[in-house]
Amino acid sequence: MTRREEPWMELDEELARYFQALATEEPEVDFRRLREAREHYRAMVRALRPRGRVFWTFWKERFALMQPFFRRAFALVLVLAFIFTGSVVVVRASERALPGSPLYTIKLWQENLLLMRARSPGVRAQLHQRFAQRRIHELRDLLASGRQQESLVLLENLLYHVNALAQMAQGEPGTPPANLTADIQMLASVVGPQHQQALLETVNALYEGKRFVGVLEQRQGTVWTIDGTQVLLTPDTLVQGVPRAGDVVEVVGHSLKDGRWQAQWIRVAARAEARAPLEISIVGEVQRQGQFWRIDGHEFLLRDPALVDWLTPGTLVEVHLQWDTREETWKAVKVEPKTSYKGQVREIYGYVEALEPHRVQVNGAWWDLAPEAEIEGALQVGAYIELEVWQDAQGQWRVLEVEVENEKEEKHESGDDDEVDDGKDNLSHEETSFEENRHLSSQREDVTLEEPDYSPLEKGFVEDLSEDRDQDAEDHEE
Amino acid sequence: MVSKVDESRLLKRARAWEEEALLQIYDLYRPGLFRYAYRLLGQEEEAEECVAEVFARFLFALRRGQGPQRHLRAYLYRMVHNWVRDRFREHPVSPLEDVERTLLKDPVGSTTEEEAVRRWQAERLRQALRRLPPRQAKVLSLRFLQGFTFEEIAETVGTSVGAVKALQHRGLENLRRLLKEEDL
């Protein structure tokens, strides 16, 4: 027995005996009670088990009991797992980030990483396309929220992806102007017309001093006005497409000291937005002024030159006008004669009895040939002609068209033309014309025409093409 | 005897409420605590009650996040000593009762004379220790009954080794004086 097991031996003999007596006193061991006490203690341990902390305390204790090497390894695994999980969460969260957000840098970094890892051209093209779509959506959101300045970086990144796609598609490096034009066309179509102006300003900021994009406002010879800037065209300037007013055009060149631009080439980037045509119709007298026509104060251009064949100043017409957004002017798309007591179109048939430079006598009546009158065929005395006459607002009858009917005799001999089918041969045509002439005579009495030139109408072959005339003819027969 | 490193790990596992560790502590310290309590109390039943309550207090303390941070053994022995002190403070035992308990435990004729003397000495020492100042009694009990080192006693009492030696010196002097008294 060691000294520690018999500590009383260092005492004096008397005290040692006392301590030895007590220290060697052993209690009786009751194993049944001992077992019961232990079970009671175990039950108490289970009953007092703290809830909620078991998991952490369990692993904490396990961690503390590990060997140092395994502890470090386990900690390293935990840290790596945390970093990986955190990275995944951050990357997922950054997918919806917009410029200005701290996560947006992570988003671009992740995209660049994916592009670097992609070996296959097909995969790279898909990635460029996906990222370009992302930029477009972001661009929309930014422009919609008025954050135009921040969209600059975004647009630059978008153009990078678009250019990369174009290069991959062409197999060779694309020229920046061509790509830019494609970009603008694409962007202008995706961002919508409400953001077009902001988009153009953003693009211009990208290529300041070298090129710019704007709306073509006016073309005056070699000086075009684009977004308020005068652009000079030289003989070397290449104009691609047919830029029209309202179109978005891209200009490559350089700015001059006076603020104007000298263009090297101009290209249509986006056509003007199509608008619903604006149409009106007006009724009034025609007044001609230069290349424009004016009716009741409305000035307009005739879209189809053929429309003016019969249109003379002073006539009463109904004009359907359409607003041309590009030319910013009214254009006549349809002109109809406005039938009234002093505005009728008639056709008169007869032989030329006499001929003067500016008038012709048919059926005994003289008809003034208007300067714009169109003469078809050789007009000569004795020829059978068809006169198309028009009564203007002043009541003057004017000849619009003279058609020489040389085939009259042939038609008469063949007898299979339309007139024969109508049950009227050419001989009876004169009788019919006389009846109509009488009808016109009575009509003229109603309007009390003052001009003596109109009296020959009573004897001429006149065919009134208006519906009023038909109705009057029916009334007359009754 | 459990090393300090093992005791520290055991205590950490006990704080994590590992049932195995808690039972291990019970199995490891319960016999010594029971003997210590028995030597101070002189009764198995009371010693069992003392040990059971000490372990219950230990569990409650752990559950509250309290309890020993390092010296588990010293903590448990201190709790046993405090329980015994409180027991005799609340229910003082007269010398006559001690004699009666001794006689009931060891009926006349069942033991030899030498055994009877030993028991008598043990009972006189137990009573003398109760009359000592608590810290002196604790130092002497742990030192000469349980064989603790000065360092272990210092941890249990919560003082320095030098103070423990001083307490031991004064306690032995007081003990000699008490044992010489006739009316002990």
Side-chain angles (χ1 to χ4, degrees), chain A residues 402-419:
Chain A
V402 180
E403 187 175 346
V404 180
E405 306 245 346
N406 294 326
E407 306 83 2
K408 177 181 177 296
E409 297 299 334
E410 298 171 5
K411 288 180 182 177
H412 174 65
E413 290 174 2
S414 63
D416 56 354
D417 58 356
D418 293 340
E419 293 180 357

Side-chain angles (χ1 to χ4, degrees), chain A residues 3-5 7-12 14-15 17-30 33-34 37-38 40-42 44-51 53-54 57-58 61-62 64-67 71, chain B residues 1 9 12-13 15-19 22-23 26-27 30 34-35 38-39 44-45 48 55-56 58-60 62-63 73 118-122 124-126 129 140 143-145 147-149 152 168 172 175-176 179:
Chain A
R3 179 176 172 273
R4 182 188 172 97
E5 291 170 340
W8 60 84
M9 292 184 69
E10 69 185 42
L11 300 173
D12 55 71
E14 186 180 3
L15 277 178
R17 281 203 304 271
Y18 277 98
F19 274 106
Q20 183 181 11
L22 188 55
T24 55
E25 195 174 56
E26 293 289 337
E28 294 180 3
V29 179
D30 187 342
R33 296 183 65 178
L34 187 64
R38 192 174 187 278
H40 179 73
Y41 175 78
R42 181 200 292 271
M44 189 178 292
V45 168
R46 292 178 177 174
L48 292 176
R49 179 189 299 276
R51 305 198 182 278
R53 295 193 318 175
V54 177
T57 51
F58 175 81
E61 181 59 25
R62 285 285 180 278
L65 292 175
M66 284 181 181
Q67 293 295 326
R71 192 185 304 172
Chain B
M1 180 67 67
R9 288 184 179 177
K12 284 183 179 178
R13 290 173 59 196
R15 288 188 173 280
W17 214 265
E18 279 190 60
E19 184 177 326
L22 291 168
L23 288 175
Y26 183 86
D27 295 336
R30 194 260 178 198
F34 180 67
R35 275 195 302 272
Y38 173 77
R39 287 163 187 165
E44 283 95 350
E45 292 80 6
E48 285 179 359
F55 274 105
F58 168 65
L59 290 180
F60 279 109
L62 283 185
R63 195 169 187 271
R73 183 167 174 250
R118 190 196 62 76
R119 288 185 179 175
W120 177 81
Q121 288 176 333
R124 277 185 64 86
L125 179 60
R126 189 180 289 123
L129 288 174
L140 295 181
R143 175 68 181 162
F144 299 111
L145 295 182
F148 275 37
T149 64
E152 289 171 340
Q168 177 183 318
L172 288 174
L175 193 62
R176 286 191 190 96
L179 289 174

Side-chain angles (χ1 to χ4, degrees), chain A residues 330-398:
Chain A
W330 290 100
K331 282 190 175 180
V333 294
K334 187 178 180 183
V335 182
E336 294 177 330
K338 191 65 179 175
T339 305
S340 70
Y341 67 94
K342 54 180 182 179
Q344 299 179 35
V345 178
R346 294 173 182 173
E347 293 179 356
I348 299 171
Y349 298 90
Y351 291 96
V352 178
E353 298 167 349
L355 187 61
E356 292 183 359
H358 299 292
R359 60 178 187 167
V360 60
Q361 186 181 30
V362 178
N363 298 332
W366 284 97
W367 298 90
D368 292 333
L369 295 174
E372 65 273 14
E374 187 176 345
I375 300 173
E376 296 182 3
L379 185 61
Q380 57 187 354
V381 176
Y384 186 78
I385 62 171
E386 174 190 347
L387 286 179
E388 187 173 317
V389 296
W390 174 267
Q391 188 179 34
D392 62 14
Q394 283 75 34
Q396 295 285 340
W397 288 91
R398 296 179 180 276

Side-chain angles (χ1 to χ4, degrees), chain A residues 265-339:
Chain A
W265 58 261
I266 300 176
R267 176 174 293 177
V268 177
R271 287 293 179 191
E273 182 190 358
R275 295 176 187 171
L278 181 62
E279 287 189 12
I280 61 171
S281 64
I282 56 175
V283 177
E285 295 177 4
V286 177
Q287 295 174 306
R288 189 170 185 174
Q289 286 188 344
Q291 59 178 340
F292 289 93
W293 292 77
R294 180 184 286 272
I295 295 179
D296 279 353
H298 293 85
E299 205 168 61
F300 62 93
L301 282 171
L302 285 178
R303 176 169 289 176
D304 186 0
L307 289 173
V308 299
D309 288 354
W310 54 271
L311 196 61
T312 57
T315 55
L316 189 68
V317 293
E318 180 176 2
V319 184
H320 298 271
L321 301 171
Q322 197 175 69
W323 179 253
D324 191 313
T325 55
R326 287 187 290 271
E327 301 291 341
E328 293 186 348
T329 184
W330 290 100
K331 282 190 175 180
V333 294
K334 187 178 180 183
V335 182
E336 294 177 330
K338 191 65 179 175
T339 305

